[in-house]
Amino acid sequence: MWWIVLALLVLIVMIRIWYRLQSGHCTSQKTLDGKTVIITGASAGIGKSSAFDLARRNARVILACRNLEKAQKVADEIIRDTGNTSVVVRKLDTSDLSSVRSFARKIVETEDSLHILINNAGMVGHHKRKHTADGLELTMATNHYGHFLLTNLLLNLLKKSAPSRIVNVSSKMHEFCSVLDPEDLNFEKSSYSMFTSYNQSKLCNVLFTLELAERLRGSGVTANSLHPGVVDTEITYKMGGFPGYSQAFLFKLMGKDCDLGAQTIIHLAVAEEVEGLSGKYFVDCKETESSKLAQHRGIAKKLWLASELDVKLENEEMM
């Protein structure tokens, strides 16, 4: 039996090496002097790696995080390692609409400009459906609604700072959604599962980007989405149970590390070749086709309107 184990280990190592070698890398050497960046969910994983990279490029980096203590430790680490002292932490819980509004209000009051908004914070969902205080399904609130509202609230600042960029972190898992009902985004009529909610939220990220790019045409603000790849991050451990731990184990064995997983985020944030490009979907730093459903402009428009209603977007908050 030992040879079976050995063969399996060799296969795993080969897959790991192949996957990492063919992964995309951001090759841009662009610096970000005088530029301001917001990264949601920047206290761990690919958000943290992105923050390190953009701080090395001398940007002012705002870590928008739920856990302030954890985020401050990351900020201190970034400052110590990069020498960039313009790294700050702000409280943001994307699952809580009042937190999103409070965060955005403070940004508008205290920041003169915003050049890059990276909507990265996310969760994989719970085994049982949970609702937020706003009545939204938790995974959808964290991954879609919070970023939808945040982006709308910061659009005027992004336009004022143009050329500027919005980067939405989605997932290849959006391809596993065969249908989307904008009137039932919170699973009040359809059956719920943690995988369905996650996949749907990631589909919404791509559709939101599609409609956002259309609405921003001619403004100097671009919006693109991406799949970061199979990445070994703590988000998989938070799934819990056998599915979560087995997936986390496989990701650790064969997936990208966080620095490699952050490359497409960084590419969309800084690369010269994507300047002016908007409404696209990227994998491994290359423009790629999303699912057919994710390219449906009619559904994208309906999702936007449904999201406006669900987050109670006021007239003065609309773009």
Side-chain angles (χ1 to χ4, degrees), residues 162-196:
S164 52
R165 305 183 185 189
I166 300 166
V167 180
N168 293 325
V169 179
S170 180
S171 167
K172 187 176 178 63
M173 296 303 291
H174 84 272
E175 297 178 7
F176 290 89
C177 272
S178 59
V179 64
L180 179 71
D181 181 359
E183 301 302 316
D184 188 32
L185 296 175
N186 295 291
F187 302 95
E188 292 162 342
K189 294 179 287 187
S190 57
S191 60
Y192 168 90
S193 78
M194 63 187 298
F195 298 107
T196 303

Side-chain angles (χ1 to χ4, degrees), residues 75-105:
D76 293 341
E77 184 182 351
I78 294 173
I79 292 169
R80 182 178 65 249
D81 290 0
T82 68
N84 182 348
T85 58
S86 190
V87 180
V88 298
V89 173
R90 296 287 183 265
K91 173 76 172 180
L92 173 65
D93 180 353
T94 56
S95 72
D96 181 351
L97 300 183
S98 64
S99 174
V100 175
R101 285 186 163 91
S102 177
F103 170 86
R105 190 180 309 114

Side-chain angles (χ1 to χ4, degrees), residues 2-292:
W2 64 268
W3 61 271
I4 297 178
V5 175
L6 179 60
L8 183 60
L9 288 174
V10 170
L11 178 62
I12 289 172
V13 170
M14 289 178 64
I15 292 173
R16 176 188 178 94
I17 292 172
W18 169 82
Y19 186 55
R20 294 194 175 199
L21 284 176
Q22 61 85 45
S23 296
H25 290 77
C26 177
T27 58
S28 173
Q29 300 300 310
K30 184 177 180 179
T31 58
L32 296 173
D33 300 82
K35 306 296 184 181
T36 299
V37 180
I38 291 175
I39 308 174
T40 71
S43 63
I46 57 178
K48 176 181 176 180
S49 291
S50 300
F52 262 95
D53 183 279
L54 300 180
R56 291 190 188 101
R57 297 171 189 268
N58 211 31
R60 172 173 169 77
V61 181
I62 300 172
L63 311 183
C65 303
R66 182 176 56 185
N67 187 329
L68 291 181
E69 182 179 355
K70 183 179 180 182
Q72 189 58 56
K73 289 179 180 178
V74 170
D76 293 341
E77 184 182 351
I78 294 173
I79 292 169
R80 182 178 65 249
D81 290 0
T82 68
N84 182 348
T85 58
S86 190
V87 180
V88 298
V89 173
R90 296 287 183 265
K91 173 76 172 180
L92 173 65
D93 180 353
T94 56
S95 72
D96 181 351
L97 300 183
S98 64
S99 174
V100 175
R101 285 186 163 91
S102 177
F103 170 86
R105 190 180 309 114
K106 186 170 184 178
I107 291 297
V108 171
E109 290 173 353
T110 60
E111 300 296 327
D112 294 326
S113 59
L114 175 60
H115 304 91
I116 302 169
L117 171 62
I118 299 174
N119 290 319
N120 163 74
M123 63 177 294
V124 293
H126 286 275
H127 294 283
K128 293 184 178 180
R129 184 175 64 178
K130 291 189 175 182
H131 284 88
T132 68
D134 302 294
L136 306 174
E137 191 275 315
L138 181 59
T139 309
M140 285 293 296
T142 303
N143 297 356
H144 168 63
Y145 286 117
H147 288 126
F148 173 85
L149 177 60
L150 176 65
T151 303
N152 272 278
L153 296 178
L154 296 179
L155 276 178
N156 285 336
L157 188 57
L158 284 159
K159 290 177 180 177
K160 172 187 170 185
S161 311
S164 52
R165 305 183 185 189
I166 300 166
V167 180
N168 293 325
V169 179
S170 180
S171 167
K172 187 176 178 63
M173 296 303 291
H174 84 272
E175 297 178 7
F176 290 89
C177 272
S178 59
V179 64
L180 179 71
D181 181 359
E183 301 302 316
D184 188 32
L185 296 175
N186 295 291
F187 302 95
E188 292 162 342
K189 294 179 287 187
S190 57
S191 60
Y192 168 90
S193 78
M194 63 187 298
F195 298 107
T196 303
S197 64
Y198 179 77
N199 298 348
Q200 177 172 287
S201 72
K202 295 291 104 179
L203 173 61
C204 288
N205 293 154
V206 185
L207 287 166
F208 166 50
T209 304
L210 189 67
E211 178 65 11
L212 179 61
E214 183 65 26
R215 290 172 178 247
L216 288 173
R217 191 184 298 273
S219 69
V221 185
T222 61
N224 293 290
S225 61
L226 69 110
H227 166 55
V230 176
V231 188
D232 173 27
T233 71
E234 65 181 42
I235 191 173
T236 52
Y237 293 94
K238 293 179 179 179
M239 289 173 63
F242 179 76
Y245 292 121
S246 58
Q247 181 173 304
F249 179 67
L250 288 173
F251 280 18
K252 182 170 286 293
L253 287 178
M254 295 183 286
K256 303 177 183 180
D257 61 24
C258 291
D259 288 346
L260 194 52
Q263 291 303 303
T264 307
I265 296 176
I266 298 163
H267 177 76
L268 289 176
V270 305
E272 294 84 353
E273 58 263 41
V274 298
E275 185 71 46
L277 195 65
S278 195
K280 306 301 181 181
Y281 174 72
F282 282 73
V283 180
D284 284 322
C285 302
K286 297 176 182 176
E287 184 182 336
T288 308
E289 275 205 0
S290 57
S291 72
K292 294 298 182 184

